């Protein structure tokens, strides 16, 4: 008999991102996960067997699909994999390991429910491990799992795993990572990836796949205060409707709302969802609202319940990951892209950078942020922006800095202050 829990698990989706230094075995782990969970098509497996040098298939080839990756032995961009078990569906963002591609992890982890960080048991926690943990903390990834790989090369010794797990847990905990799980594995031998290892009887926790199938992925967008960034204004037969995707919360007909940044207040007269009038709609539905009063509302405005408004401000402090080769310096003129709104801004100060090489401690007044640097930035925008703390809302608590001259994406930002909803 199928239980209610099993039925719910079968329909849930987990988005997770992998990260690890080069040669930590990330590609082999992903290949092992797909191979042992029988998520590979027979023609794919045949191609890998033909390309493998030895008798056994080189599982890393399952993920290193690009020629450049194979030639250099690295993953050079975020690659998305889709697979499923009887208990859950998965979207895996496979991010590169080299330090110069740390920014790619931001892309992969920004929507992830879980970050799977690898370390080589022989090397333990290294600078890149700390950098990956910092990115996961910056993006408020709810779950971080450390896979201590290549346990076969350290004799499957419990004390080796325990020391690495303790060091990483302490470091990630200081960064504010809410949930940390550590698992000893050998991706090459298949220990604790899908099947429990016969070589580590001292470990009583889940395998990687068991953990992925069981971990909570219940980001309840409906529990947060409602936020509707306006994408389009629809005019039909003299009626104006304001369309967009609800970023968080629930909107109801008759509810009093405020349009930001103007501050005008009205009530919701009707909600259209997929062509049907509905009494309420919740994130992440796309809807078109009709308001009770004729207000000047345009793309980029935000509609929110009057009783639970975001913080409206021009002075912004953000935790950032700089993505572009062009350094970010105090005095830089940028554009802020927040939801559907884009405004001019200036970088007033860069008070701190995070240095993973020094254990993640702050470097005061670094003078500039270079590509892949993490830090804190103070901005002044030309117009007020409605911001939530990132901890309360990933969608309205984050934004991008864009170069005004060529439109290049410069920096990923999360807000570190604002009015708690």
């Amino acid at each position: 008999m199928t239980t209610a829990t099993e039925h719910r698990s079968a329909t849930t989706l987990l988005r997770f991102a992998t990260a690890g230094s080069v040669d930590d075995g990330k590609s082999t782990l992903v290949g092992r996960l797909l191979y042992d969970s029988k998520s590979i098509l027979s023609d794919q497996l045949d191609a890998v067997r033909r390309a493998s040098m030895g008798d056994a298939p080189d599982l890393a080839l399952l993920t290193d699909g690009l020629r450049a990756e194979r030639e250099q032995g690295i993953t050079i961009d975020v690659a998305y994999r889709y697979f499923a078990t009887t208990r859950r569906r998965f979207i895996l963002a496979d991010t590169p390991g080299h330090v110069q591609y740390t920014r790619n992890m931001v892309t992969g982890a920004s929507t992830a429910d879980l970050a799977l960080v690898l370390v080589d048991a022989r090397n333990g926690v290294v600078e890149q491990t700390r950098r990956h943990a910092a990115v996961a903390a910056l993006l408020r990834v709810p779950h971080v799992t450390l896979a201590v790989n290549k346990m076969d090369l350290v004799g499957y010794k419990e004390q080796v795993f325990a020391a690495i797990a303790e060091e990483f847990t302490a470091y990630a905990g200081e960064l504010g990572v809410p949930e940390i799980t550590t698992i000893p594995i050998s991706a090459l031998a298949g220990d604790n990836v899908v099947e429990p290892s016969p070589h580590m009887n001292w470990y009583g926790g889940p395998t990687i796949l068991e953990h992925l199938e069981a971990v909570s992925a219940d980001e309840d967008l409906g529990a947060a205060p409602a936020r509707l960034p306006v994408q389009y204004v629809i005019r039909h037969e003299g009626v104006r409707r304001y369309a967009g995707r609800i970023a968080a919360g629930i909107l109801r007909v008759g509810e009093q709302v405020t349009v930001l940044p103007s501050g005008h207040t009205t009530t919701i007269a009707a909600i259209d969802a997929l062509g049907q009038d509905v009494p309420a709609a919740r994130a992440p539905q796309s809807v078109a609202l009709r308001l009770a009063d004729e207000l000047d509302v345009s793309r980029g405005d935000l509609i929110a319940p009057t009783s639970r408004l975001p913080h409206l401000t021009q002075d912004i402090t953000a935790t950032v990951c700089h993505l572009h080769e062009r350094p970010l310096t105090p005095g830089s003129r940028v554009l802020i892209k927040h939801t559907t709104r884009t405004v001019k801004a200036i970088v007033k100060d860069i008070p701190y950078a995070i240095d993973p090489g020094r254990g993640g401690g702050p470097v005061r007044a670094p003078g500039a942020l270079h590509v892949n640097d993490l830090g804190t930035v103070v901005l002044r925008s030309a117009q007020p922006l409605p911001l939530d703390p990132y901890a309360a809302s990933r969608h309205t608590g984050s934004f991008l800095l864009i170069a005004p001259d060529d439109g290049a994406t410069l920096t990923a930002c999360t807000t570190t202050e604002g009015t708690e909803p």
Side-chain angles (χ1 to χ4, degrees):
M1 179 181 291
T2 301
T3 66
T5 300
E6 289 170 339
H7 177 74
R8 184 171 59 252
S9 297
T11 60
T12 59
L13 171 68
L14 182 78
R15 293 179 173 85
F16 70 102
T18 58
S21 301
V22 174
D23 296 330
D24 279 354
K26 186 164 54 61
S27 295
T28 302
L29 171 60
V30 174
R32 172 65 66 184
L33 196 57
L34 298 175
Y35 180 75
D36 284 1
S37 64
K38 298 178 174 56
S39 302
I40 303 169
L41 297 176
S42 59
D43 58 336
Q44 291 177 304
L45 188 56
D46 290 342
V48 168
R49 283 183 172 132
R50 287 194 298 272
S52 301
M53 299 297 290
D55 295 334
D58 183 351
L59 298 179
L61 298 180
L62 286 168
T63 56
D64 288 346
L66 298 175
R67 173 178 294 181
E69 290 179 354
R70 293 191 186 187
E71 291 177 348
Q72 300 180 42
I74 60 172
T75 302
I76 58 176
D77 204 347
V78 178
Y80 290 91
R81 320 285 171 184
Y82 306 87
F83 69 103
T85 67
T86 56
R87 299 188 63 189
R88 183 167 247 177
R89 294 175 291 120
F90 301 94
I91 298 178
L92 186 164
D94 187 15
T95 66
H98 271 182
V99 62
Q100 61 264 42
Y101 300 122
T102 301
R103 55 186 165 177
N104 297 50
M105 185 187 170
V106 175
T107 303
S110 60
T111 59
D113 304 300
L114 181 145
L116 181 58
V117 180
L118 263 76
V119 298
D120 186 327
R122 297 169 299 175
N123 303 325
V125 175
V126 297
E127 179 177 331
Q128 188 68 340
T129 312
R130 290 191 286 269
R131 187 175 282 107
H132 289 148
V135 171
L138 163 70
L139 297 172
R140 300 277 180 178
V141 179
H143 310 278
V144 173
T145 298
L146 180 74
V148 182
N149 192 24
K150 304 188 182 183
M151 287 296 296
D152 53 315
L153 299 183
V154 295
Y156 296 106
K157 294 179 180 176
E158 181 180 6
Q159 58 268 37
V160 174
F161 167 73
I164 295 171
E166 181 179 0
E167 180 182 356
F168 181 83
T169 301
Y171 177 73
E174 290 176 0
L175 293 172
V177 174
E179 182 179 304
I180 304 161
T181 302
T182 56
I183 302 175
I185 69 167
S186 170
L188 186 63
D191 293 295
N192 287 338
V193 178
V194 173
E195 301 295 335
S197 170
H199 304 106
M200 291 179 277
N201 294 331
W202 45 264
Y203 174 71
T207 66
I208 293 286
L209 184 61
E210 288 171 345
H211 180 58
L212 295 176
E213 288 181 328
V215 73
S216 171
D218 297 328
E219 184 189 10
D220 187 1
L221 295 175
R227 306 286 186 253
L228 177 67
V230 176
Q231 290 180 302
Y232 304 102
V233 178
I234 302 171
R235 299 175 179 84
H236 181 64
E237 297 180 348
V239 177
R240 290 163 58 95
R241 293 177 184 268
Y242 308 104
R245 185 180 185 187
I246 302 176
I250 302 172
L251 291 170
R252 296 178 175 83
V253 173
E255 184 173 27
Q256 186 178 57
V257 292
T258 297
V259 181
L260 297 172
S262 68
H264 293 130
T265 298
T266 183
T267 56
I268 297 174
I271 301 175
D272 182 301
L274 296 175
Q276 302 291 325
D277 282 340
V278 295
R282 62 181 297 149
Q285 283 183 282
S286 293
V287 298
L289 298 187
R290 181 163 60 84
L291 302 179
D293 300 290
E294 289 290 337
L295 301 178
D296 182 14
V297 181
S298 59
R299 174 181 169 83
D301 288 346
L302 184 80
I303 298 175
T306 304
S307 59
R308 303 183 74 182
L309 294 176
H311 186 50
L312 196 63
T313 182
Q314 291 179 260
D315 296 301
I316 304 160
T317 300
T319 303
V320 307
C321 179
H322 190 56
L323 309 175
H324 202 275
E325 302 292 341
R326 191 183 316 165
L328 188 73
T329 58
S332 297
R333 297 189 179 278
V334 297
L335 298 175
I336 292 178
K337 176 74 169 62
H338 175 251
T339 64
T340 57
R341 189 176 187 83
T342 302
V343 301
K344 295 179 180 178
I346 187 170
V347 178
K348 292 181 62 179
D349 192 15
I350 303 178
Y352 299 105
I354 297 171
D355 182 3
R358 300 182 185 179
V363 177
R364 296 182 184 277
L369 291 180
H370 300 275
V371 62
N372 297 311
D373 280 354
L374 307 174
T376 301
V377 168
V378 178
L379 300 152
R380 172 75 178 181
S381 63
Q383 301 172 35
L385 288 171
L387 297 173
D388 286 301
Y390 187 75
S393 172
R394 280 185 165 190
H395 302 277
T396 52
S398 62
F399 56 88
L400 295 173
L401 301 186
I402 297 172
D405 52 348
D406 60 6
T409 299
L410 300 175
T411 314
C413 308
T414 63
T415 55
T416 55
E417 61 184 13
T419 302
E420 292 288 348

